[in-house]
Amino acid sequence: MLSTTSLFAVSAEIADPVVKTNLLYEWVGLVPGTMALSFLLILFFGKKLPYKGAEIGITAISLSFLFAVAMAFTWIIDTQSVLNGDKGETAAAVVVDDPIGVGETAAPLIPLAEEGEKARVTIDPIVKEFDWLENGNTTFGVGTLVDGQSVMMLFVVTFISLLVHVFSTDYVGGDRRYTHYFAFLSLFTASMLFMVLSTNTLQLIVGWELVGVCSFALIGHWWEEKANSDAALKAFLTNRVGDIGLLVGMITLYFGAGGTFDIIDINSQAVAGEIDHTLLLIASCCLMAAVASKSGQFILHTWLPDAMAGPTPVSALIHAATMVVAGVYMIARLYPVFWDGLSISGSNINLMALMGGITCVFGGALAFVQTDVKKVLAYSTVSQLGYMVLALGVGAYTAGLFHLFTHAFFKACLFLGAGSLSHACHHTFDMREMGGLRKIMPKTFATFVIGSLALAGAFPFAGFWSKDEILAGAGVWPGTGGNGTYYIPFWFGMLTAAMTAGYMARVIWLVFMGEYRGHAHPHENGNRITVPLMILAFMATIAGFLNMPKPFADFLGIKDAGLAFEHWVEPASVAHFPAISHASPSLSLAIVASLVAGAAAAAVWAYYRRLHQMDPKATAYTDSFVANNKLIRAGHTMLVEKYYLDHLYTHLIAGGTKGPLARAAYWFNQNVLDGTVNVAGRSTASLGRFVYRYIDQGAIDGAVNASGLGASGSGQVLRGIQSGKIRSYATLMFGAAALLAAVFIVVV
Amino acid sequence: MPLLAAEQVSFPVLPALIVVPLLTVVALLFVPRHRADYLKAVALLGTTITGAISVQMLASFDVDDPGFQFVSRATWVEDLGISFFLGVDGISLFLVVLSGILYPIAILATEPHHDAKPYYAWLVLLQAGSMGVFMALDLLLFFLFFEVVLVPMYFLIGGWGHGNRVYASMKFFIYTMAASALMLVGILAVVFLTAAETGVTTFDVTQLAGASALSDTAAMLVFLSFALAFSVKVPLFPLHTWLPDAHTEAPTAGSIILAGVMLKLGTYGFIRFGLYLFPEAAWNVRWLFITLGVIGIVYGAVVATMQTDLKRLVAYSSVAHLGFIVLGTFAFNPQGIEGGILVMVNHGISTGALFILVGWIYERRHTRQISELSGMQKAAPVMAGAFTFVMLSSIGLPGLNGFVGEFLVLLGAFNANRYAAVIATTGVILAALYLLWAYQRTFHGTPTETDLEMKDMTMAEGLSLLPLLGLIVFLGVYPKPMIERIEPAVEALVAHVDAHVADFADTEPEAPAERTDAGTLTDALHEAEEKKEGK
């Protein structure tokens, strides 16, 4: 541990910042701007256009995508040039090939790759900001922040969004609210990019909320059915619970950092230790609540599977690839805050790693009992989001973001694949109504299998690389190094790897193998559906190579290609990013993890194969050890009931607020508070009668007449109101004034 | 506090804002009572001119001047130092403009079903009153307007309201009157106690605030007498029970004005006559109002969730929103007070729009019961869109007007009392709960046959709502011009409080020791690294 600590000092050398800029970085604000404009255009003119507004959306997102690609390329070129510029001076003698496998015996806690990167310099973030409002000595800005992280996210969002737009033209073609649908896709993309490019935490909150609203609108797209409308409401409300954490956390940070919302400023202060550790801890915990709601972490994940009520392309875009990773993105954005607040470095466990670990296991377990293919994918998303949070929790920053990157492709591929299946099978997602589709829908089959392999982490698909880096990052496996020794998260991660392979094997068997069990006439879909699938499958295959370990790149003979993603995305040697240490890859870990996953998949496969041999139409054993064992059945019921969390929220908490609690408050309101008023009113009225009868009639009549002045027109309307009670009012006023005057005379 | 800065203004803007509606009332008296269309046109014209003058005033308002502008003063009762003293600063500016804008919209958006003449006369008279109350700088004048606005509202609710209108209007009237009676005593006390000390009898707020000649006990008692009147008006928990009744039974225009303008009398009063006149007393009991404000936020929202009547639901949501304003005001820092003023204006806009929409639903369906409405989005998609939009603004969605104010209030409150701020944040979820849930039950779901026959929003209705929708977006996206105008006055107020309160802990966040330019940061980082190594 000690040697790791001393390492921080070495790798945290601050070099002079490299300032690079160009028009693309400066004007990236145009991208969300274009999408927002597209939203307005579709909303107001969409219905009258030949393609009902879809053409505007697709044009806008295509332009945005081109912008994002151009910017990504410029960024990569700039980063590489900076990287190469330094290499000549420092690294030539130091770069040592990391002997994986061999390294274990030497057990160097200092990863060798680290040495070569000691002086790695990254480009300073390009910030462009306008004043949004000023208050006191604080300026609230709105602007764009370009760095590796936002460039990466910009690419992912526009890429997936473009494919989803194209896919949707067929998938929701002829829908009753087709124009509305495309308008909200545009608004969602705009809001997401607005959030991604935030320069300050306030802008982040704004974007965060806006994506939530778009998600609400799109989940409830078919609101005629109560279930859909309920799901939308649930999603919004659950996210609101997290928003409390978000607001309180950001406000705590604001004060902790001496009154600033600026992300880089806050990060720099957190790195420099200028913010009180306790405050950072409180802020981190509050923000984790926000992450739990937005990124579907256990126990606030329950809205995410329900959100599958929305159209499938929306699930692919919003509830798998982009919006739900907002929480992960936010952690990465404010990484120094969590790094210090949760003491990530040199520890065995922390809130973030634990939350991620629990989420990935519990979510994965739920995926086993679903019969709806979209629900399997939804729980799988929950589980994978847990993986990302786990990664960031153990200090594997790049691994977490890299998993976000690869997951976007293969999960979007799988969701769109599920959409393709449903489109062919008469709008059902029930796997019991499928089967044997591999021959009927070969393109969907092939892409779905590729997506599943990537998700399950099979070599050499995308998920393999990112998952492996996360497991290595936990720092448990011999020779990996990392930032601590996170035993529990590591084993949770390993278990999840097995579960992921298992439930995806189940899905593939039930959907594609055996015989068709449904009653529709499935057919392969058209190009607008299959081409996006193929593109995504392609990405799911190759994306992982972007961050292959250095030894592997050397093995392939491409010297500089190793850890490219890390070089592009992770800041190094800057004042606003902590000095994290990188785990070294381990061949043995990769082999073990693959074997575990393979074994799980094989077991599931054998299970269903045997079932198929017994009864070709069956999808579950009716009479077996699993069905008969009480304990297992109880476990199964628990999973089917989703750990009873929904019962807790809907019936106990929400029902309690809307029901007994609100009723009690209202009873109190009507009977106690209002009752007092009514009693007071009635007694005043009696007092008024008394005063009227026995005291000064004339004066009070005068008051009444005065207040009735000008009421001539209302006379007939108001008959019966104005007589007795105004008098009691006057009495009351007189009495009260007299009383207070008396008090003043006595006291003052 | 520097005062009376802009006396060179030649056109008497502020008196005009009161006189024009009064003249309109006179004009209305000459229109035949059966010509509802003429009556409406005259009322609309008069209130629109008033609105235009108020907007013109906004345009010529000097941004950097923290004092009162467009000041207009005429002696009224010389011996007692009572004068007709009007002025506008950043605190009252937008409330005056809001009063200018909301009336024409309320007249345009709804119509009375009978007795158009007195209806419009009362409504326009109400505009004169509410203009006056935000501009008066003479205590007696303020009291006069404060009371005068009650009368038209009383007749509007009693005459053109719904079912239980008689009870509601009486309750409204007695409740508010009884409390303000104590304020009258308070006003007299502060004037004559100051006179006893300084020898000058005056009702001029600026002079009274400058003198601050009252003993601690007297100031506290007088402040409490003011505070009671304002608390009823706000209304603060537990003095809010008149509000749901008055709102529910009032005609739509009455509800719009009640929520948009009249509730603000209380919160405005707290800032202008509470904090300004009695800084020390207000400071010493701030915990009471922070507590009541927070209770109001949560309580109003919880009760709103179980309402079965749409209008009553919106009414309870007002209790919650107004709680935010009180919380911000008694945070005693610029963020909180500015946030409070922003919430005042934004609540006026959003809730006004919500009442208009609920009014239209009622006109079409003759019910406001949530259980009797469903799937309206099918028949009235445009109205559903407008409702969603306004609802999101009321929930406080960032990007729309509600957010900025609420956020500033939370920021200010966090600075003053973080536990209160955290509890208030829960209001954020509850607001989403009651409004979205109501929306889901009424607009989503399977429509019944009556629902399907419902008419969508007409073009005229849409146009009358459009200014409010525009403001919701504008103030959400670009609140800077508004805050710029509010800020100098609020900072002057906080400075005034600071000067008069001995133990006033400035709750402004301290400026960070080192600002972040690359050089210092790098140094700081190196230092931190060295420290770490040393360990």
Side-chain angles (χ1 to χ4, degrees):
Chain A
M1 252 13 305
L2 274 175
S3 55
T4 334
T5 324
S6 67
L7 179 75
F8 299 141
V10 180
S11 59
E13 291 288 334
I14 307 291
D16 289 331
V18 180
V19 180
K20 287 250 179 194
T21 190
N22 63 38
L23 282 178
L24 288 172
Y25 302 157
E26 296 276 330
W27 290 94
V28 65
L30 287 176
V31 179
T34 312
M35 295 316 293
L37 182 69
S38 156
F39 164 69
L40 292 176
L41 290 177
I42 298 176
L43 202 63
F44 290 115
F45 307 110
K47 282 216 166 116
K48 298 181 186 95
L49 295 171
Y51 295 98
K52 306 276 174 225
E55 64 268 64
I56 303 180
I58 290 180
T59 313
I61 188 65
S62 306
L63 290 174
S64 303
F65 176 63
L66 289 178
F67 195 112
V69 170
M71 198 163 87
F73 268 112
T74 344
W75 180 264
I76 289 169
I77 291 166
D78 281 346
T79 322
Q80 290 293 355
S81 76
V82 171
L83 209 60
N84 294 335
D86 288 322
K87 210 168 185 181
E89 299 155 33
T90 57
V94 193
V95 174
V96 179
D97 290 353
D98 182 24
I100 42 163
V102 185
E104 284 164 37
T105 46
L109 269 172
I110 305 168
L112 293 173
E114 201 68 28
E115 295 286 301
E117 284 168 57
K118 191 162 65 174
R120 185 164 79 77
V121 180
T122 41
I123 305 172
D124 244 26
I126 298 101
V127 178
K128 196 166 172 176
E129 199 167 32
F130 306 92
D131 289 356
W132 184 38
L133 55 114
E134 275 168 63
N135 174 278
N137 44 17
T138 318
T139 308
F140 302 75
V142 66
T144 57
L145 187 156
V146 176
D147 67 352
Q149 199 187 324
S150 57
V151 170
M152 181 273 286
M153 202 65 187
L154 195 72
F155 173 77
V156 171
V157 172
T158 52
F159 181 74
I160 308 282
S161 185
L162 174 62
L163 294 179
V164 162
H165 270 79
V166 174
F167 185 93
S168 299
T169 53
D170 189 346
Y171 190 81
V172 294
D175 188 78
R176 54 207 140 181
R177 278 185 289 278
Y178 186 79
T179 307
H180 170 272
Y181 173 87
F182 273 93
F184 271 92
L185 279 190
S186 278
L187 182 63
F188 167 75
T189 313
S191 319
M192 186 73 200
L193 295 178
F194 182 77
M195 193 205 83
V196 163
L197 294 168
S198 312
T199 55
N200 60 66
T201 52
L202 194 61
Q203 185 183 353
L204 196 102
I205 297 176
V206 173
W208 181 280
E209 297 283 330
L210 287 176
V211 291
V213 170
C214 298
S215 156
F216 168 73
L218 285 165
I219 296 170
H221 183 70
W222 293 307
W223 45 257
E224 283 88 347
E225 281 163 54
K226 185 148 188 311
N228 299 346
S229 179
D230 278 345
L233 192 65
K234 183 172 177 183
F236 198 83
L237 291 178
T238 314
N239 274 299
R240 277 268 147 173
V241 174
D243 287 348
I244 296 182
L246 186 72
L247 286 175
V248 175
M250 291 302 188
I251 293 177
T252 309
L253 271 186
Y254 169 82
F255 286 113
T260 179
F261 289 109
D262 190 90
I263 288 175
I264 295 191
D265 196 351
I266 292 175
N267 282 348
S268 308
Q269 292 191 36
V271 172
E274 286 169 13
I275 308 179
D276 184 47
H277 176 73
T278 319
L279 274 184
L280 286 178
L281 177 63
I282 294 171
S284 308
C285 293
C286 290
L287 293 178
M288 283 316 290
V291 173
S293 68
K294 191 63 101 192
S295 290
Q297 300 296 297
F298 196 76
I299 54 176
L300 292 179
H301 65 277
T302 57
W303 67 274
L304 185 55
D306 284 18
M308 298 302 129
T312 307
V314 166
S315 308
L317 175 64
I318 300 185
H319 304 118
T322 59
M323 185 194 82
V324 289
V325 299
V328 179
Y329 187 82
M330 190 259 284
I331 298 179
R333 252 294 159 247
L334 293 169
Y335 203 56
V337 170
F338 294 95
W339 178 264
D340 188 323
L342 297 175
S343 309
I344 288 175
S345 135
S347 157
N348 295 322
I349 198 70
N350 63 50
L351 176 67
M352 197 193 296
L354 189 66
M355 188 195 263
I358 291 176
T359 306
C360 63
V361 171
F362 279 48
L366 287 171
F368 270 103
V369 298
Q370 305 301 320
T371 51
D372 177 318
V373 60
K374 252 179 109 176
K375 286 269 165 85
V376 177
L377 295 177
Y379 282 112
S380 158
T381 305
V382 169
S383 167
Q384 295 299 309
L385 289 168
Y387 235 95
M388 297 172 206
V389 171
L390 183 156
L392 292 170
V394 301
Y397 170 87
T398 302
L401 283 183
F402 189 48
H403 198 59
L404 185 163
F405 181 73
T406 57
H407 176 260
F409 300 118
F410 57 69
K411 195 46 77 58
C413 175
L414 289 171
F415 264 110
L416 292 185
S420 171
L421 292 171
S422 151
H423 205 56
C425 297
H426 219 276
H427 304 293
T428 181
F429 288 101
D430 194 334
M431 292 189 290
R432 289 169 299 192
E433 303 279 306
M434 295 181 185
L437 294 175
R438 71 182 182 284
K439 288 174 199 136
I440 308 165
M441 306 176 71
K443 292 174 185 164
T444 306
F445 170 62
T447 53
F448 201 93
V449 168
I450 292 174
S452 305
L453 287 171
L455 171 60
F459 180 83
F461 297 96
F464 168 78
W465 304 101
S466 51
K467 185 198 68 185
D468 203 50
E469 276 180 41
I470 295 174
L471 289 178
V476 169
W477 200 261
T480 46
N483 291 290
T485 39
Y486 287 90
Y487 288 103
I488 297 171
F490 174 81
W491 290 111
F492 276 13
M494 192 62 110
L495 181 59
T496 307
M499 286 160 84
T500 313
Y503 63 70
M504 284 323 289
R506 171 172 175 264
V507 169
I508 289 182
W509 180 276
L510 287 177
V511 173
F512 294 106
M513 310 309 273
E515 280 97 51
Y516 183 62
R517 296 178 294 270
H519 309 287
H521 302 284
H523 53 86
E524 183 57 288
N525 289 299
N527 285 338
R528 281 181 292 166
I529 286 184
T530 51
V531 171
L533 285 179
M534 289 185 235
I535 296 174
L536 285 168
F538 174 71
M539 291 302 286
T541 314
I542 62 145
F545 290 102
L546 279 184
N547 207 34
M548 54 189 164
K550 282 205 164 109
F552 188 78
D554 295 343
F555 171 74
L556 290 183
I558 19 182
K559 269 279 174 200
D560 291 335
L563 296 180
F565 185 88
E566 180 180 311
H567 297 155
W568 300 334
V569 170
E570 186 178 309
S573 320
V574 287
H576 60 266
F577 196 76
I580 61 179
S581 71
H582 298 99
S584 3
S586 161
L587 184 60
S588 54
L589 173 60
I591 292 171
V592 169
S594 298
L595 286 178
V596 167
V604 171
W605 197 261
Y607 173 92
Y608 280 100
R609 213 180 142 81
R610 191 171 145 254
L611 174 69
H612 183 67
Q613 281 160 359
M614 283 161 55
D615 175 6
K617 289 273 178 194
T619 56
Y621 288 89
T622 45
D623 182 37
S624 72
F625 172 69
V626 175
N628 293 335
N629 183 296
K630 257 198 188 135
L631 194 66
I632 290 184
R633 222 173 41 224
H636 186 265
T637 316
M638 176 118 168
L639 289 178
V640 170
E641 294 292 337
K642 302 172 272 187
Y643 311 119
Y644 298 94
L645 283 175
D646 273 343
H647 292 267
L648 177 70
Y649 297 152
T650 319
H651 297 147
L652 239 64
I653 298 178
T657 312
K658 292 192 293 200
L661 186 61
R663 262 200 292 279
Y666 194 57
W667 179 87
F668 176 72
N669 194 62
Q670 293 307 92
N671 294 305
V672 179
L673 296 180
D674 224 20
T676 318
V677 173
N678 288 337
V679 168
R682 269 196 294 279
S683 39
T684 319
S686 337
L687 182 70
R689 272 195 293 283
F690 174 80
V691 172
Y692 174 71
R693 220 166 280 163
Y694 299 106
I695 311 182
D696 194 350
Q697 267 196 28
I700 295 166
D701 271 355
V704 175
N705 291 342
S707 54
L709 209 67
S712 56
S714 319
Q716 60 270 54
V717 186
L718 295 169
R719 194 178 303 129
I721 307 176
Q722 41 181 204
S723 52
K725 287 185 179 166
I726 295 211
R727 279 169 214 139
S728 42
Y729 144 66
T731 321
L732 186 68
M733 181 170 171
F734 177 75
L739 190 72
L740 196 74
V743 170
F744 268 101
I745 292 162
V746 174
V747 178
V748 184
Chain B
M1 218 174 155
L3 290 166
L4 316 183
E7 259 174 319
Q8 68 278 12
V9 182
S10 52
F11 177 70
V13 189
L14 304 190
L17 287 173
I18 300 172
V19 172
V20 173
L22 287 178
L23 288 178
T24 314
V25 175
V26 175
L28 281 169
L29 295 180
F30 292 100
V31 181
R33 64 164 60 235
H34 58 277
R35 294 306 301 261
D37 46 347
Y38 286 3
L39 287 161
K40 183 170 183 172
V42 171
L44 191 59
L45 186 70
T47 49
T48 310
I49 293 174
T50 317
I53 298 175
S54 71
V55 172
Q56 158 64 26
M57 177 197 72
L58 173 64
S60 53
F61 187 85
D62 179 2
V63 181
D64 301 321
D65 181 0
F68 293 104
Q69 304 185 24
F70 312 104
V71 173
S72 161
R73 180 170 213 165
T75 310
W76 191 2
V77 184
E78 194 158 14
D79 290 346
L80 291 175
I82 302 174
S83 57
F84 192 81
F85 183 19
L86 302 176
V88 163
D89 68 351
I91 295 170
S92 52
L93 175 69
F94 288 95
L95 295 169
V96 172
V97 177
L98 185 69
S99 307
I101 297 173
L102 273 184
Y103 282 89
I105 292 175
I107 288 174
L108 202 60
T110 59
E111 269 168 13
H113 295 294
H114 57 91
D115 297 290
K117 186 168 174 171
Y119 171 84
Y120 286 118
W122 285 128
L123 204 55
V124 180
L125 185 63
L126 192 55
Q127 187 181 30
S130 42
M131 283 290 178
V133 79
F134 291 126
M135 301 187 297
L137 294 178
D138 182 282
L139 272 182
L140 204 73
L141 193 64
F142 169 75
F143 184 74
L144 188 86
F145 283 121
F146 195 78
E147 298 296 270
V148 155
V149 292
L150 291 184
V151 179
M153 187 50 88
Y154 166 77
F155 284 116
L156 281 171
I157 299 175
W160 291 268
H162 307 287
N164 204 5
R165 60 178 187 266
V166 177
Y167 170 74
S169 61
M170 272 325 291
K171 190 164 161 187
F172 161 74
F173 200 87
I174 293 180
Y175 224 130
T176 42
M177 263 297 202
S180 45
L182 295 182
M183 185 168 74
L184 179 59
V185 179
I187 288 175
L188 296 177
V190 67
V191 168
F192 291 113
L193 288 174
T194 308
E197 202 73 24
T198 62
V200 185
T201 311
T202 179
F203 281 81
D204 181 336
V205 178
T206 57
Q207 286 184 31
L208 289 171
S212 62
L214 271 62
S215 70
D216 285 356
T217 327
M220 180 61 85
L221 281 172
V222 177
F223 170 73
L224 289 178
S225 75
F226 276 66
L228 183 66
F230 298 146
S231 303
V232 167
K233 207 69 166 191
V234 169
L236 261 185
F237 176 89
L239 302 173
H240 63 274
T241 57
W242 63 270
L243 177 84
D245 285 322
H247 261 319
T248 316
E249 308 307 342
T252 301
S255 302
I256 299 167
I257 300 306
L258 197 56
V261 179
M262 294 193 55
L263 298 188
K264 311 301 151 49
L265 296 186
T267 48
Y268 168 76
F270 268 124
I271 298 179
R272 173 72 79 223
F273 302 100
L275 267 55
Y276 184 44
L277 276 185
F278 313 104
E280 180 133 35
W283 169 254
N284 287 334
V285 290
R286 67 189 185 285
W287 52 269
L288 173 68
F289 292 95
I290 286 180
T291 313
L292 290 180
V294 170
I295 293 178
I297 292 169
V298 177
Y299 178 88
V302 168
V303 174
T305 55
M306 72 141 299
Q307 296 308 313
T308 53
D309 179 313
L310 270 182
K311 216 170 172 188
R312 223 174 156 78
L313 187 146
V314 180
Y316 274 106
S317 84
S318 289
V319 176
H321 279 123
L322 274 284
F324 264 106
I325 304 174
V326 173
L327 176 63
T329 305
F330 283 90
F332 273 90
N333 50 33
Q335 283 103 343
I337 299 174
E338 276 168 47
I341 295 169
L342 282 173
V343 177
M344 283 190 218
V345 177
N346 292 328
H347 171 261
I349 296 168
S350 318
T351 310
L354 271 182
F355 275 124
I356 293 178
L357 286 162
V358 173
W360 288 340
I361 293 173
Y362 182 75
E363 273 173 27
R364 287 163 164 75
R365 299 292 320 279
H366 304 290
T367 179
R368 290 184 309 254
Q369 290 299 314
I370 292 172
S371 55
E372 290 173 29
L373 305 166
S374 85
M376 290 191 295
Q377 190 166 347
K378 195 103 192 163
V382 180
M383 189 186 268
F387 195 95
T388 314
F389 191 75
V390 176
M391 170 181 78
L392 291 174
S393 134
S394 184
I395 289 174
L397 180 81
L400 302 180
N401 63 345
F403 173 73
V404 184
E406 265 178 32
F407 190 77
L408 284 178
V409 166
L410 287 178
L411 213 55
F414 200 86
N415 219 346
N417 183 334
R418 70 184 56 169
Y419 302 104
V422 172
I423 299 171
T425 319
T426 57
V428 165
I429 320 183
L430 291 169
L433 177 68
Y434 60 76
L435 274 174
L436 286 182
W437 193 40
Y439 177 79
Q440 184 204 14
R441 285 177 294 169
T442 51
F443 281 96
H444 282 182
T446 329
T448 61
E449 260 175 49
T450 9
D451 288 313
L452 280 175
E453 285 162 11
M454 192 173 139
K455 194 161 56 104
D456 201 354
M457 217 152 89
T458 61
M459 187 59 115
E461 286 173 334
L463 285 178
S464 65
L465 198 60
L466 203 61
L468 293 181
L469 301 184
L471 282 174
I472 287 177
V473 176
F474 180 77
L475 295 179
V477 174
Y478 194 57
K480 193 178 167 192
M482 187 167 166
I483 292 181
E484 266 173 3
R485 284 166 176 77
I486 296 175
E487 182 153 25
V490 170
E491 279 183 345
L493 175 67
V494 174
H496 172 82
V497 176
D498 196 7
H500 285 85
V501 179
D503 61 340
F504 185 65
D506 191 1
T507 45
E508 269 287 274
E510 278 173 38
E514 269 175 295
R515 293 307 300 178
T516 48
D517 52 278
T520 52
L521 243 178
T522 317
D523 293 344
L525 190 65
H526 278 305
E527 268 170 45
E529 287 302 331
E530 275 162 23
K531 242 189 277 171
K532 239 179 202 173
E533 267 177 284
K535 253 190 282 179

